[in-house]
Amino acid sequence: MIQSGPVTPPHITDLPIRALTVDDLHRCADLSEDRGWLREDHKWGLLLAAGNGFGVDAPDGRGLAAACVVTRYGNTSAGPDLAAIGMVLVADRYARQGLGRALMTHVCDGVLKGTALTLHATPHGRPLYEELGFATTGRAEMLVGTFQQEGAADTEDAPHIRPAVADDLPRILRLDAEVFGADRTHMITRLPAFADQLLVSEDHGAEGMLTGFAAAWPNMHTHVVGPLIARDTGTAKALITALARGTTRPLRTDVDVRHEELLAWLKQRGLESVAFNAVMTRDIPDLPGDWTRRWAPLTVAAG
Ligand SMILES: CC(C)(COP(=O)(O)OP(=O)(O)OC[C@H]1O[C@@H](n2cnc3c(N)ncnc32)[C@H](O)[C@@H]1OP(=O)(O)O)[C@@H](O)C(=O)NCCC(=O)NCCS
């Protein structure tokens, strides 16, 4: 007679890490909810389609135990120039058992070994990322609130703002690559479908010269303003004012803290500071591109 003793289940960190697809969207949104985040289905949909998700199935059969998403930018034939990591989540019932560390180690030291990395870290994630070699290079302030239009009227020298049309796309991509510092065509070309508004700014009289662009995309009860690319503070303000006219929802945006004038103006216009995230990088001393013209990311989960 064959005697079989109780089978020891594998430790949570020994479970396989698998690629996530758009079919995992609801499981990802459930995981967000499990950690007290918003479900953010629309954002998960974009990230799983344009990026690469990684996750661990929960051994109790209840969805995902952990997940994260990687978005690669730049020359993909020779490897990406930069990759952004976001939506790093471990289900509450599996927290503090090494799973977050195992998933991030797999992604950063395995899948993305040798690639310059960036992420926006919450205070919860930061100690782990520091141990994995990330350093804080900046901060972003998250603002949410209903934008007060009163007193934000156009001035005479305000830039000309209009909805983007198909012909603008090559110029948007050129401007974006210059300011973001890496090609993100696969993300930007999704904006017309993903966002509810996509506006461009151009100089009066300088036909063809784009000075900025901005999108507002739906996220639960808010519209997120991002990306926000603009030549100067006046252009950034004009783009936000025009986007706010197109929605009755509160706005959310995550502004680089170096843009003090814009942050002060947004607070005057009714938005409130709700959180600060650390902008971290690994294998690169700072983010590429031109931060002076980069006001807000598309989403903190993708840079
Ligand atoms: C951050 C998170 C992904 C960590 O996953 P985890 O599996 O619980 O973490 P691990 O068990 O692998 O621990 C790794 C390290 O993270 C840090 N850490 C994890 N949970 C922490 C907590 N609640 N408070 C402070 N530090 C914490 C510690 O440095 C820990 O190392 P230690 O156990 O040796 O002290 C998880 O707590 C989570 O999903 N939090 C909510 C979502 C979030 O904030 N994500 C980060 C987005 S940037």
Side-chain angles (χ1 to χ4, degrees):
M1 199 172 114
I2 300 169
Q3 297 248 321
S4 63
V7 180
T8 316
H11 189 263
I12 186 87
T13 54
D14 293 330
L15 293 172
I17 294 169
R18 68 169 176 92
L20 301 177
T21 71
V22 283
D23 291 339
D24 292 299
L25 201 151
H26 292 297
R27 279 182 279 271
C28 291
D30 287 347
L31 185 59
S32 290
E33 206 164 42
D34 176 273
R35 280 316 293 233
W37 286 13
L38 299 170
R39 292 186 64 81
E40 303 190 310
D41 310 70
H42 190 58
K43 176 164 80 174
W44 272 114
L46 173 79
L47 296 170
L48 291 171
N52 301 99
F54 296 91
V56 173
D57 290 309
D60 62 8
R62 289 167 45 212
L64 291 168
C68 71
V69 180
V70 171
T71 312
R72 297 161 207 248
Y73 298 112
N75 183 350
T76 43
S77 60
D81 296 333
L82 180 71
I85 302 174
M87 310 304 274
V88 181
L89 282 156
V90 170
D92 206 27
R93 64 194 183 283
Y94 298 114
R96 305 301 314 244
Q97 296 171 40
L99 189 54
R101 183 193 302 277
L103 180 64
M104 284 299 286
T105 303
H106 172 83
V107 168
C108 299
D109 296 338
V111 181
L112 295 171
K113 195 172 167 44
T115 303
L117 303 177
T118 181
L119 54 78
H120 280 71
T122 63
H124 273 117
R126 197 168 151 185
L128 171 62
Y129 306 143
E130 281 170 355
E131 285 175 45
L132 287 168
F134 284 84
T136 301
T137 57
R139 285 199 313 158
E141 186 169 0
M142 189 196 300
L143 302 170
V144 180
T146 301
F147 184 88
Q148 309 295 330
Q149 285 287 352
E150 218 171 287
D154 291 336
T155 55
E156 254 176 38
D157 59 352
H160 178 235
I161 309 283
R162 60 170 174 79
V165 295
D167 278 355
D168 291 318
L169 201 53
R171 286 178 302 162
I172 291 176
L173 288 171
R174 262 201 308 279
L175 176 62
D176 187 70
E178 199 182 303
V179 175
F180 186 72
D183 181 86
R184 53 173 179 173
T185 298
H186 62 318
M187 262 309 187
I188 300 298
T189 50
R190 282 180 160 86
L191 281 180
F194 176 69
D196 285 341
Q197 299 183 70
L198 177 59
L199 304 180
V200 294
S201 61
E202 53 193 0
D203 267 339
H204 288 291
E207 192 70 23
M209 173 72 183
L210 287 193
T211 57
F213 72 93
W217 52 272
N219 193 26
M220 311 304 286
H221 69 291
T222 65
H223 266 118
V224 176
V225 174
L228 174 59
I229 302 282
R231 183 175 62 185
D232 49 34
T233 317
T235 306
K237 288 180 184 173
L239 281 163
I240 295 172
T241 304
L243 288 172
R245 266 189 215 119
T247 176
T248 52
R249 296 189 196 184
L251 298 184
R252 171 189 162 170
T253 192
D254 298 83
V255 177
D256 184 321
V257 295
R258 290 171 288 191
H259 292 304
E260 291 172 12
E261 188 189 337
L262 186 76
L263 280 164
W265 177 81
L266 284 167
K267 289 170 192 170
Q268 279 164 18
R269 303 252 62 83
L271 273 68
E272 280 176 24
S273 177
V274 291
F276 285 90
N277 285 307
V279 179
M280 305 184 87
T281 60
R282 194 179 91 156
D283 289 340
I284 189 172
D286 204 351
L287 287 174
D290 178 5
W291 75 266
T292 65
R293 288 183 286 162
R294 190 172 60 222
W295 304 77
L298 198 172
T299 153
V300 291

